[in-house]
Amino acid sequence: MTEILNLRDCSHRECVAEYNAQGFTSAHDSAVGIGNLSAETVYRTYNQLYESGGLNMRVYLATMEEPFRRLESTGLLDGPGSRFVQCSAVKALADGSIQAGTAAIPEGYFFDPSLRPGIIGTQGYWDDLVYHWHSRGRQLSIHCNGVGAIETVITAVERAQARCPRKDARHLIIHCQMATDEHVRRMKEAGILPSFYGLHVWNWGDRHRDIFLGPDRAARLDPAGSAVRAGLPFSLHADTPVLPQMTMLSIHTAVNRETKGGAVLGPDQRISTLEAVRAYTSYAALFSHSETWRGTIEPGKVADFVIPSEDILEAPAGRLKGITFAAAIVDNRVVYGQLP
């Protein structure tokens, strides 16, 4: 799973081709309607590309809350859609980013403990927003980086579930970088799935350790190890266009916890190669309620898979980032590279 396709800086076809080359057969576009690109334009472009036979990847579209509210009454967001273009979750932002000094960190930043950004809105605001969409049967996809935002959103989902129980809502917390073990436990109980920004450890880990969070909090960034121990499925992403898609570097980082500077950040949050691969395949399918027809290679499921340059599960952990993809197959069609 990935969080956002870069629709503004290159053509859709070029974006999809780049994703195919990075081993993707499907992706989440998790910020439809953000900025100056209207949700209607995004929907129309994806559907035109699909109808022309040029959409070589399945997309699951999460729309920003304001345009979602505006479009809900039109019926555009309802119906099964196609298996290539599906409208899905309601997207919202609960805080900013750690490195920009805008993540909700009530205990303060390492370099300046007096810098204590709060959440966007209030707890009451999030209780109302989550309940509104939860009670309507919608899925929520909420951006949370700081511990304060994660706490707020988990609490809001717990309260919504108490008022209106839904066994399989699968609300999503995107990034979920500063989740504690207690948060992980509560997410599992509330049916929340986290998508960890795994490449963040590689790209910003050294600065988080030395500047923004300090060594203890930085060691818990993107706590995939905690999720594995709790039995909580999760996905990994690169937050494109913030970072380009680098699938095997993302898997490498989740397995090794190496930063750009060569340090190991939080060795207890390392996961196995198999778990990292699941985060991009079978676990990722859970995020779109599509595990019954994709996410694993087995009879009765769509023929979506990739062929790596070597066996990922057999490769030494230190060599994972060097693996490439020889081919990508979507719906029984070779869309990238060629078969051996």
Side-chain angles (χ1 to χ4, degrees):
M1 172 187 161
T2 186
E3 191 183 355
I4 178 171
L5 293 175
N6 187 357
L7 303 176
R8 286 155 288 190
D9 298 335
C10 63
S11 75
H12 280 64
R13 289 179 187 273
E14 290 170 337
C15 284
V16 171
E18 180 181 342
Y19 274 56
N20 292 154
Q22 285 293 321
F24 283 94
T25 61
S26 63
H28 283 217
D29 187 337
S30 290
V32 174
I34 198 169
N36 296 322
L37 197 63
S38 73
E40 293 92 331
T41 298
V42 177
Y43 300 150
R44 182 169 60 250
T45 304
Y46 275 128
N47 280 303
Q48 288 174 346
L49 194 58
Y50 168 65
E51 290 166 3
S52 70
L55 184 58
N56 292 330
M57 181 174 68
R58 304 177 196 274
V59 291
Y60 193 69
L61 311 179
T63 303
M64 300 303 294
E65 201 221 2
E66 185 175 338
F68 201 107
R69 283 182 183 266
R70 174 169 51 81
L71 293 168
E72 187 182 33
S73 62
T74 68
L76 182 64
L77 302 171
D78 294 316
S82 71
R83 283 190 167 183
F84 273 81
V85 182
Q86 294 180 296
C87 295
S88 62
V90 181
K91 181 65 181 288
L93 308 176
D95 69 348
S97 73
I98 298 170
Q99 62 272 22
T102 53
I105 304 179
E107 62 272 31
Y109 276 73
F110 184 62
F111 73 95
D112 181 2
S114 69
L115 179 59
R116 300 182 178 188
I119 59 172
I120 296 171
T122 64
Q123 181 68 62
Y125 167 83
W126 286 102
D127 290 348
D128 292 344
L129 183 148
V130 170
Y131 179 74
H132 173 82
W133 295 112
H134 174 85
S135 64
R136 297 169 77 87
R138 299 292 189 181
Q139 183 186 33
L140 283 152
S141 177
I142 305 179
H143 164 118
C144 299
N145 276 309
V147 65
I150 296 166
E151 172 65 28
T152 296
V153 169
I154 292 174
T155 297
V157 172
E158 290 170 337
R159 290 173 178 175
Q161 288 282 28
R163 294 175 65 187
C164 178
R166 284 176 57 195
K167 287 188 66 175
D168 205 24
R170 301 191 203 179
H171 299 310
L172 312 178
I173 292 183
I174 306 300
H175 306 326
C176 204
Q177 294 204 74
M178 295 185 69
T180 65
D181 282 353
E182 179 66 8
H183 286 149
V184 169
R185 181 192 66 78
R186 289 166 60 196
M187 280 189 279
K188 184 179 181 182
E189 288 186 359
I192 300 169
L193 297 174
S195 184
F196 296 125
Y197 191 173
L199 278 169
H200 204 101
V201 170
W202 169 76
N203 196 61
W204 286 282
D206 296 309
R207 280 170 282 178
H208 286 338
R209 179 197 60 222
D210 299 336
I211 302 170
F212 301 114
L213 300 178
D216 293 339
R217 289 182 294 178
R220 281 199 56 86
L221 275 173
D222 302 286
S226 293
V228 169
R229 288 187 286 273
L232 175 65
F234 58 93
S235 73
L236 297 168
H237 66 267
D239 202 29
T240 303
V242 176
L243 289 176
Q245 286 304 320
M246 299 177 283
T247 307
M248 291 311 304
L249 180 58
S250 177
I251 288 174
H252 178 100
T253 302
V255 172
N256 295 285
R257 299 285 295 189
E258 289 180 356
T259 70
K260 261 187 177 180
V264 174
L265 198 64
D268 64 321
Q269 294 300 334
R270 289 170 170 161
I271 61 175
S272 69
T273 302
L274 177 59
E275 290 291 338
V277 169
R278 284 171 173 161
Y280 276 104
T281 54
S282 58
Y283 289 165
L286 297 171
F287 282 62
S288 54
H289 292 266
S290 59
E291 70 277 9
T292 60
W293 58 272
R294 64 173 169 176
T296 56
I297 301 172
E298 57 186 300
K301 293 191 175 182
V302 294
D304 293 358
F305 54 95
V306 296
I307 299 175
S309 59
E310 62 180 285
D311 189 332
I312 294 174
L313 298 182
E314 295 296 327
R319 204 168 70 225
L320 288 168
K321 62 184 175 184
I323 295 175
T324 59
F325 295 95
I329 295 88
V330 177
D331 205 35
N332 206 33
R333 295 180 296 116
V334 178
V335 297
Y336 168 76
Q338 58 185 7
L339 297 178

